Amino acid sequence: MALALALGRRGRGQCWPNPAVGCVVVQGGRVVGRGWTQPGGRPHAETEALKQAGQAARGATAYVSLEPCSHHGKTPPCAQALIDAGVARVVSAIEDNDPRVAGQGFAMLRDAGIEVETGVLAEQAARDHAGFFLKNEQGRPFVTLKLASSFDGRIATASRHSKWITGPQARRAVHAMRAEHDAVLVGAGTARTDDPALTVRDLGIARQPVRVVVSRHLELPLLGQLARTAKETPVWLCHGPSPDAGRARAWEGVGARLIPCALQGHHIDPTDLLSQLGQAGLTRVFCEGGSALAASLLADDLVDELIGFTAGLAIGAEGLPALGALGLDTLEGAPRFALVETRPVGPDILHRWTRPAP
């Protein structure tokens, strides 16, 4: 099962809106087939593993990191594929919470006389599938907020000079993190100031993450990197109810997708923003700021994981803070996370925090 989970993680960021599943087929104590959900969501992990196993799948045990699907979508049910292949036993980490499946895959297998065991490494599977489960339960993707800052929590000088606070090893690590998410999310200020590409470079991935920019009025540079590459790598612009019509036409003309969102005061409502992204199929979103967008997500309790890169330099109080205003009067109202990892990355320190267990 540990191997099936590891294989499944290979599909992160590549297979949305489907879950990133891994499957291992074992016959006589030997692995005869393995697979994971392929880019775009198809073929599924079970299909890939069974194809590799061939006739050796008959009488074998299949280890699957998520309950095999039982419904007809763009592909036939994986539960039926396992039945047709003649496997004798299926071991699954966790039940699928998609209402189209939700135990029905296990029932199909048992009705066909296949032994089914569940709950193996279930906690790890729940973490691996957290984005898919969140989209099914709450209609929003899993959100990772990444902040790269100086020792005193600044992301730029007073003149907004920010390249580079962290070293090349940290920047490469960020590319690997982008690759594990369906989309990279930034605010309009970051897009205007940094003119970022927001792509994954030098890692040979099959499917680039969607670049999502939050801009109420679509006040974004039409000559920047995002506009120039929108037809090759998706750009989604999340805007307010009444964007400038000329800018909207111009962005649609260069290939961007426009997504209207509700307002919260004078800004895009972060809850509706994530709801719109969930409806569009995203399961995992990597937010890289800026400070106002990061603060709004934290204030509305929408951040599931924090990743910080801290550099050994100080910028001072006049520098731009990593987070915008949260409006806190007491520490009791501050969002708190549980530390799960800390390690050096080149000259910098990486620290990763998750929501504490309920």
Side-chain angles (χ1 to χ4, degrees):
M1 185 58 73
L3 175 57
L5 286 161
L7 290 170
R9 287 192 287 273
R10 295 186 182 186
R12 276 185 175 178
Q14 300 292 297
C15 62
W16 64 275
N18 288 353
V21 179
C23 179
V24 177
V25 180
V26 177
Q27 175 67 268
R30 184 170 65 90
V31 172
V32 294
R34 59 181 194 160
W36 58 92
T37 313
Q38 294 299 293
R42 295 179 300 276
H44 290 183
E46 297 93 327
T47 304
E48 290 286 286
L50 291 171
K51 181 173 68 174
Q52 191 178 93
Q55 288 302 310
R58 192 158 296 278
T61 295
Y63 296 83
V64 191
S65 67
L66 183 67
E67 177 184 3
C69 62
S70 57
H71 62 287
H72 283 270
K74 294 183 178 179
T75 57
C78 289
Q80 189 62 53
L82 291 163
I83 294 167
D84 294 343
V87 301
R89 177 170 170 254
V90 171
V91 180
S92 179
I94 196 167
E95 181 177 307
D96 192 341
N97 71 345
D98 186 328
R100 297 171 298 177
V101 185
Q104 296 175 69
F106 294 148
M108 278 183 66
L109 296 169
R110 290 189 174 108
D111 288 347
I114 294 173
E115 179 186 349
V116 176
E117 182 178 350
T118 64
V120 178
L121 297 183
E123 288 186 12
Q124 179 61 59
R127 289 193 293 270
D128 286 0
H129 298 302
F132 182 71
F133 288 173
L134 264 175
K135 185 169 71 71
N136 291 336
E137 292 171 359
Q138 299 182 26
R140 72 164 181 91
F142 183 95
V143 175
T144 300
L145 173 60
K146 184 272 295 182
L147 298 171
S149 65
S150 63
F151 179 77
D152 55 339
R154 295 318 202 232
I155 58 174
T157 65
S159 64
R160 295 191 174 263
H161 183 239
S162 61
K163 292 185 178 179
W164 294 103
I165 288 177
T166 53
Q169 295 94 331
R171 297 198 294 275
R172 183 167 179 79
V174 168
H175 280 264
M177 292 171 184
R178 286 177 181 174
E180 291 190 334
H181 290 77
D182 308 340
V184 178
L185 171 68
V186 298
T190 298
R192 286 191 296 266
T193 302
D194 296 345
D195 187 26
L198 302 180
T199 52
V200 177
R201 297 183 283 283
D202 302 323
L203 293 180
I205 65 167
R207 193 186 196 195
Q208 285 283 347
V210 176
R211 285 93 54 86
V212 182
V213 182
V214 181
S215 178
R216 177 181 175 181
H217 298 295
L218 297 177
E219 294 174 327
L220 299 165
L222 277 159
L223 299 177
Q225 292 195 78
L226 293 172
R228 292 199 306 269
T229 59
K231 289 182 178 177
E232 291 77 46
T233 303
V235 172
W236 295 0
L237 303 181
C238 298
H239 59 82
S242 303
D244 180 88
R247 292 194 194 106
R249 286 193 300 270
W251 275 103
E252 287 178 327
V254 300
R257 174 177 177 178
L258 270 58
I259 300 177
C261 298
L263 297 182
Q264 184 184 75
H266 297 292
H267 305 284
I268 298 291
D269 181 348
T271 300
D272 188 60
L273 163 69
L274 293 184
S275 175
Q276 298 296 333
L277 296 181
Q279 288 180 40
L282 299 183
T283 65
R284 290 171 55 84
V285 170
F286 191 64
C287 179
E288 298 195 44
S291 58
L293 176 60
S296 72
L297 291 169
L298 283 167
D300 279 26
D301 195 26
L302 296 170
V303 174
D304 302 290
E305 179 179 60
L306 282 175
I307 292 178
F309 288 92
T310 301
L313 81 161
I315 292 176
E318 69 273 27
L320 183 66
L323 287 178
L326 285 172
L328 297 175
D329 293 321
T330 65
L331 288 178
E332 285 73 20
R336 286 191 181 270
F337 293 79
L339 181 65
V340 293
E341 178 187 9
T342 179
R343 60 183 170 89
V345 179
D348 308 309
I349 295 293
L350 178 149
H351 40 109
R352 185 166 63 91
W353 309 71
T354 62
R355 285 176 176 270

